[in-house]
Amino acid sequence: MRRLLLALGLGFLLPLAACNAEIPPETLAAIRAGHALLLDVRTPAEFAAGHLDGARLVPYEQIAAQIGALAADKHAAIVLYCHSGRRAGIAQQALLDLGYTRVVNAGGYAQLSKALAGCTPQC
């Protein structure tokens, strides 16, 4: 089952259900500390309209072609987000299929932005 906790070195990356899952505090801490590659897999127009600080734009359909230049280490921590989590899930599966082992679907931009700001799901 894809929702199982991956056996990871730092133990902070957990595959998430797209939009209703709570983002683990460890994942948020890794993003804040810069210990994870943060990838926005939306369109260039969506990215231009607003994105998370430190995020790199890699549209989900281009993830397989571009990931090698961003993360040659297949054990690097990678956090993906999009609008709702659907495209991030597609990108996550593509990376897992390529052998990347520490990939998180952090859901949607608004959800992740609020979580990084310290808001609870009720915000």
Side-chain angles (χ1 to χ4, degrees), residues 41-87:
V41 298
R42 300 176 299 159
T43 66
E46 289 173 302
F47 186 82
H51 58 273
L52 296 173
D53 289 340
R56 293 182 172 204
L57 173 65
V58 181
Y60 79 99
E61 66 274 4
Q62 298 174 17
I63 195 83
Q66 293 188 27
I67 194 62
L70 299 170
D73 178 4
K74 293 198 175 188
H75 302 294
I78 302 171
V79 177
L80 308 166
Y81 73 90
C82 61
H83 177 74
S84 67
R86 186 184 67 78
R87 290 174 286 180

